[in-house]
Every structure is written in structure tokens, then in C-alpha cells.
Amino acid sequence: MTTARGPFGSPSPDMAVYVISVAAELTGLHPQTLRAYERMGLIAPGRTPGGGRRYSHRDLELLREIADLTSAGIGLEGVRRILELDNQVNALRARNDELVAELAATREALGQALAAARGSSPNKLPVLRGPDPGQSLMVWRRPR
């Protein structure tokens, strides 16, 4: 069970704090529906040492999303696939953000290396060192 706290001491969105009856009431779903969704692998609530289910705020949002999709006529296998694709999209967006930041840092380092090399010999090319000691980037210029 997550014990992290958000700002001002409030529970983090991932902290499993809601018992099944409260989660059912907050989402408008029956407790048996929540259990069925767990059996199907659509949701994975936290567990107490005694085995009781505890739902986080993020779990409640997911349950509401599942309820919205099923009420729109989408079957549970369709819901499962939509959730998988949504997770893939989120992971790809995060990776894209990482790559954009890495590219910006590389461009900045290359710009600094080129600026430092301007005063030296035209045949001397900058070598950029990566974050790992064994990494480097060589910039090649074709002879004219």
C-alpha cells in the first residue's frame, strides 16, 4: 500500500485509502461490479495485510472511465483494449518528452562546443561527452 502524501498532507492520488463500499458509492457502481472488474484484470486495488481491498483516487478515476465506456455500449474486452492503448499512448508521450529534452540538451552542448571550437583550427572538431563516461558524440565535417 502506498503511504506517500501530497501537498498539505493530503493523500497522494495513488494512496489506497477507500474501502470497497466507499469506492462503490463514489463511483456509482455496485461492490460486486468492482470485484468483477478486479477478476477481469481491469483494476488492481491495493490490499490491507488482512486482504481487504483499498482503492486510491486514481483507481476511482479508472472505475469511472470504465463505467463511462460501458455505458456508451463498449464491451468489457473493448474497454480492456482501450485502456491498454491509452497506457501505451501515455508511455509513448512520456518517452517522446524524454527524447525531446535529450535532443535539446544535445543541441545546446553541440552549440557550445562549436562556439568554443570557432577560435581553434578549422580541422579540429568538437567531441561531446555524454552523461555516461563511456559515451561521446563526434561531429564530422566533409572536406571541401
Side-chain angles (χ1 to χ4, degrees):
M1 206 172 6
T2 307
T3 58
R5 294 240 171 232
F8 310 110
S10 63
S12 78
D14 294 318
M15 187 172 178
V17 293
Y18 303 103
V19 296
I20 192 167
S21 60
V22 174
E25 185 175 331
L26 291 173
T27 59
L29 299 170
H30 193 278
Q32 288 291 31
T33 304
L34 274 58
R35 290 183 189 98
Y37 288 170
E38 181 183 2
R39 278 192 306 274
M40 291 179 227
L42 295 175
I43 186 126
R47 295 285 183 161
T48 65
R53 292 171 178 85
R54 293 293 186 270
Y55 295 84
S56 69
H57 181 73
R58 219 175 291 279
D59 291 334
L60 298 181
E61 290 174 350
L62 178 58
L63 287 166
R64 288 184 189 114
E65 184 177 354
I66 293 168
D68 289 345
L69 290 169
T70 56
S71 68
I74 298 172
L76 290 176
E77 283 306 312
V79 169
R80 180 190 320 275
R81 185 67 180 136
I82 288 170
L83 295 176
E84 287 172 2
L85 291 171
D86 194 38
N87 288 336
Q88 287 178 3
V89 167
N90 290 336
L92 288 170
R93 282 186 179 140
R95 181 65 178 137
N96 189 58
D97 290 345
E98 290 171 7
L99 291 171
V100 166
E102 186 178 325
L103 178 61
T106 301
R107 284 181 173 159
E108 174 66 24
L110 179 60
Q112 290 174 3
L114 288 172
R118 286 198 211 295
S120 64
S121 166
N123 291 332
K124 189 157 185 150
L125 296 173
V127 175
L128 301 178
R129 301 283 175 217
D132 296 330
Q135 288 184 332
S136 42
L137 172 69
M138 176 73 67
V139 180
W140 294 94
R141 262 185 268 179
R142 291 182 182 215
R144 295 180 194 192

